[in-house]
């Protein structure tokens, strides 16, 4: 069993004569996970070859040889035929090693003026830019499910809760749209994050910048980046963009955990508001009657790792000195884990919401007249009573009904009059859930008109993005 690796053969082996301990090699190799960036690494190198040739550092023939070689490697990866060899410590060294095998000595010219430090920062940003498109589309799929459900349930009455206590009447459509807007903020955050990801560090070298006159703006343009980094030290050591993207993931996961928790509660026999489709439920191995909301429990649970990944990244960056440090290699597993998690979590949430069966009868049955107590107070306000006094009077009506063991809407006219002379026969009209919901007709309110207004705005937002 060999316990060491010859260092002289590695890309940076010139100054070494000793050997690397086998565990040290295992400890520092990142090929196991950064291989995922093969396409970005190769396309970044192709653009760099073009930039070197434009700067007159290599001939156009050499640039073409390099690009053809890189394309062949790209094809090998795409066909699943690329072979990792001992000594390929990361994706960058693996591609360069293979390039030299394919095109010979000219392969050694590709890295002119470039370092793995600006290369890995570029690859990771490039990877994020592409992944962001998938996250965006997947968030929008959840939003579409929510808006579709909202449209069907603009007038499906349901209690609205605060402190998980029945508060005021509302609709299932309004509930759906609340989650739509949360996810819309996640999309906004994603777009803002994307702008900061799209800053090209290539040209920063190892730390001090590129000594050859490569055209960085042209390189950025070639790779689809919006801007170039303005300081090489910062260029190679900035990992804010990873932390930001992980925050977007953690916030998104937090929102989905709330959605999940609501639906878990609503699906219990005690509530029975909604039923999950079989496609998103599981059974119990012991209790035959069980239909478990596992999809939503996992959605609630996944926020643990999403938030954990954010904390990992912040802790990796904390206190690192200028400029590049190997610590930053720890960014990728956290990043990939968040992206992988979202890639399943979002479509599962979209499907679970889309196929949700809404039990309107159960929702309606949960509307206790007591949740119209606020409307009782508002009735008095409309008769000129100050809100604080009105609130107090309504509270007394609630207490009286409780004492009498009846519902608030079963109080007699004498009962009402004893509480306040402002109560008239028309108090009976207050006890109407639809009317209560529709009376809240400001933008953002529960009225069917207002929810339709939200839906219209949502459809526009989904159409333009
Ligand atoms: N595998 C490394 C990473 O993921 C690449 C950069 C290595 N640079 C260096 N100077 N050792 O960050």
């Amino acid at each position: 069993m060999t316990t060491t690796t010859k260092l002289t053969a590695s890309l940076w082996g010139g100054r070494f004569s000793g050997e690397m301990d086998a565990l040290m090699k295992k400890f520092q190799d990142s090929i196991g996970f950064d291989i995922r960036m093969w396409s970005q690494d190769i396309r970044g190198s192709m653009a760099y070859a073009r930039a070197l040739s434009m700067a007159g550092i290599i001939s156009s023939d050499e640039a073409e040889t390099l690009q053809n070689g890189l394309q062949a490697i790209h094809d090998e990866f795409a066909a699943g035929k690329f072979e990792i060899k001992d000594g390929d410590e990361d994706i960058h060294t693996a591609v360069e090693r293979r390039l030299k095998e394919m095109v010979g000595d000219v392969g050694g010219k590709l890295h002119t003026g470039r370092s793995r430090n600006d290369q890995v920062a570029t690859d990771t940003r490039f990877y994020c830019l592409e992944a962001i498109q998938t996250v965006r589309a997947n968030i929008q799929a959840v939003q579409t499910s929510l808006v579709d459900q909202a449209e069907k349930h603009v007038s499906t009455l349901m209690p609205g809760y605060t402190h998980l206590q029945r508060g005021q009447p509302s609709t299932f459509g309004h509930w759906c749209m609340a989650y739509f807007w949360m996810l819309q903020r996640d999309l906004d955050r994603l777009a803002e994050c994307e702008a900061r990801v799209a800053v090209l560090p290539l040209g920063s070298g190892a730390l001090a910048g590129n000594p050859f006159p490569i055209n960085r703006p042209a390189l950025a343009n070639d790779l689809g980046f919006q801007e170039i980094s303005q300081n090489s030290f910062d260029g190679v050591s900035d990992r804010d963009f990873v932390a930001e993207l992980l925050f977007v993931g953690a916030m998104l996961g937090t929102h989905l955990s709330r959605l999940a928790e609501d639906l878990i509660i609503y699906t219990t026999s005690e509530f029975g508001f909604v039923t999950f489709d079989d496609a998103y439920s599981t059974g119990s191995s012991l209790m035959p009657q069980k239909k478990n909301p596992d999809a939503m429990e996992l959605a609630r649970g996944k926020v643990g790792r999403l938030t954990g990944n954010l904390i990992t990244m912040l802790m990796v960056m904390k206190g690192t000195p200028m400029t590049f440090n190997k610590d930053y290699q720890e960014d990728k597993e956290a990043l990939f884990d968040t992206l992988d998690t979202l890639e399943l979590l979002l479509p599962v949430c979209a499907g679970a919401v889309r196929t949700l069966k809404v039990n309107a009868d159960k929702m309606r049955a949960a509307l206790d007249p007591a949740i119209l107590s606020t409307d009782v107070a508002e009735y008095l306000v409309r008769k000129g009573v100050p809100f604080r006094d009105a609130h107090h009077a309504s509270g007394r009506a609630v207490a009286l009904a409780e004492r009498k063991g009846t519902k608030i809407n079963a109080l007699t006219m004498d009962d009402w009059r004893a509480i306040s002379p402002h109560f008239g026969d028309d108090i009976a009209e207050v006890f109407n859930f639809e009317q209560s919901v529709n009376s809240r007709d400001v933008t953002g309110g529960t009225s069917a008109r207002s929810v339709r207004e939200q839906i219209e705005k949502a459809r526009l937002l989904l159409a333009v993005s």
Side-chain angles (χ1 to χ4, degrees):
M1 191 179 94
T2 59
T3 54
T4 55
T5 302
K6 282 246 174 296
L7 295 181
T8 40
S10 75
L11 285 179
W12 38 265
R15 75 172 312 289
F16 290 84
S17 53
E19 298 181 332
M20 186 185 277
D21 177 80
L23 288 179
M24 169 55 192
K25 179 173 163 1
K26 203 171 169 187
F27 189 51
Q28 79 128 15
D29 280 359
S30 57
I31 187 76
F33 48 86
D34 63 21
I35 194 157
R36 285 171 60 143
M37 305 194 303
W38 64 266
S39 173
Q40 290 75 18
D41 190 76
I42 293 169
R43 285 181 287 152
S45 286
M46 285 172 151
Y48 193 66
R50 288 191 283 275
L52 285 176
S53 137
M54 263 160 46
I57 311 302
I58 61 173
S59 71
S60 53
D61 278 358
E62 287 173 324
E64 206 177 313
T65 307
L66 290 174
Q67 288 187 81
N68 290 341
L70 287 163
Q71 184 58 52
I73 299 172
H74 198 281
D75 294 345
E76 282 187 356
F77 269 107
K81 293 201 172 117
F82 186 90
E83 266 177 57
I84 297 168
K85 296 212 171 134
D86 202 36
D88 290 346
E89 62 178 71
D90 55 26
I91 184 60
H92 328 294
T93 50
V95 170
E96 197 177 337
R97 186 263 309 154
R98 184 73 184 123
L99 184 63
K100 283 190 197 138
E101 284 171 10
M102 282 186 151
V103 305
D105 284 349
V106 64
K109 291 198 173 186
L110 176 64
H111 217 50
T112 311
R114 188 174 67 166
S115 155
R116 276 186 296 158
N117 296 353
D118 57 348
Q119 188 179 1
V120 70
T122 300
D123 289 5
T124 310
R125 285 172 182 268
F126 200 5
Y127 189 92
C128 288
L129 284 179
E130 299 191 339
I132 284 171
Q133 311 315 317
T134 309
V135 176
R136 174 179 293 123
N138 286 336
I139 294 175
Q140 286 171 337
V142 183
Q143 286 184 308
T144 302
S145 292
L146 287 163
V147 178
D148 287 349
Q149 286 284 12
E151 200 145 53
K152 279 190 264 171
H153 297 288
V154 167
S155 303
T156 304
L157 295 177
M158 174 184 120
Y161 297 84
T162 59
H163 314 269
L164 204 53
Q165 307 287 319
R166 288 174 192 156
Q168 291 184 303
S170 67
T171 64
F172 186 63
H174 197 58
W175 176 93
C176 289
M177 291 311 293
Y179 283 102
F180 171 89
W181 295 113
M182 267 187 230
L183 296 181
Q184 189 60 28
R185 290 197 295 280
D186 291 321
L187 282 181
D188 289 347
R189 267 185 284 271
L190 192 65
E192 284 158 23
C193 168
E194 184 181 17
R196 277 184 288 273
V197 176
V199 178
L200 183 78
L202 199 54
S204 300
L207 74 159
N210 198 309
F212 305 105
I214 56 159
N215 184 338
R216 295 189 63 212
L219 197 47
N221 199 35
D222 196 353
L223 286 170
F225 282 66
Q226 301 300 315
E227 281 177 52
I228 56 173
S229 57
Q230 297 299 311
N231 178 298
S232 61
F233 280 18
D234 189 34
V236 295
S237 64
D238 171 16
R239 292 295 179 277
D240 299 6
F241 68 100
V242 177
E244 272 194 63
L245 189 50
L246 294 179
F247 174 73
V248 171
M251 194 72 242
L252 176 57
T254 302
H255 289 157
L256 294 174
S257 78
R258 295 189 61 197
L259 173 99
E261 172 63 4
D262 269 352
L263 292 177
I264 290 166
I265 293 171
Y266 295 166
T267 201
T268 56
S269 328
E270 285 74 8
F271 275 74
F273 288 1
V274 295
T275 312
F276 284 113
D277 193 83
D278 284 359
Y280 297 96
S281 311
T282 54
S284 159
S285 55
L286 180 77
M287 300 163 282
Q289 87 283 9
K290 293 290 290 292
K291 186 169 179 184
N292 294 330
D294 289 33
M296 291 299 105
E297 288 171 301
L298 281 168
R300 189 177 56 187
K302 290 290 180 190
V303 71
R305 63 165 69 209
L306 293 172
T307 305
N309 290 335
L310 168 64
I311 303 303
T312 294
M313 194 59 222
L314 291 173
M315 289 303 100
V316 164
M317 288 164 69
K318 176 187 174 295
T320 48
M322 275 292 164
T323 59
F324 179 85
N325 300 277
K326 191 68 167 255
D327 311 41
Y328 305 147
Q329 180 168 293
E330 288 290 308
D331 61 355
K332 285 174 221 51
E333 283 164 295
L335 173 67
F336 296 153
D337 184 68
T338 283
L339 293 173
D340 289 347
T341 300
L342 293 177
E343 199 157 353
L344 282 175
L345 171 60
L346 288 163
V348 166
C349 285
V353 171
R354 188 179 58 245
T355 55
L356 204 60
K357 191 173 145 269
V358 174
N359 307 322
D361 298 353
K362 286 281 181 65
M363 288 180 175
R364 199 183 170 99
L367 295 168
D368 188 281
I371 66 174
L372 294 169
S373 307
T374 312
D375 299 68
V376 170
E378 286 157 3
Y379 163 95
L380 289 179
V381 166
R382 291 194 178 97
K383 305 258 168 181
V385 179
F387 180 74
R388 276 296 148 227
D389 301 335
H391 182 280
H392 190 77
S394 176
R396 285 182 56 205
V398 172
L400 180 60
E402 250 173 42
R403 247 193 341 258
K404 291 179 72 175
T406 72
K407 298 271 184 200
I408 186 171
N409 57 336
L411 290 176
T412 65
M413 209 50 235
D414 287 346
D415 291 334
W416 289 111
R417 288 258 189 239
I419 293 166
S420 164
H422 297 282
F423 283 118
D425 288 341
D426 54 352
I427 185 66
E429 288 159 30
V430 167
F431 296 100
N432 178 325
F433 299 118
E434 276 87 359
Q435 176 185 285
S436 168
V437 160
N438 285 320
S439 70
R440 290 161 219 288
D441 195 35
V442 293
T443 295
T446 49
S447 78
R449 190 210 55 80
S450 159
V451 174
R452 276 196 202 97
E453 181 182 302
Q454 295 182 54
I455 292 172
E456 243 168 71
K457 286 182 182 154
R459 294 269 186 227
L460 282 177
L461 285 166
L462 283 169
V464 291
S465 45

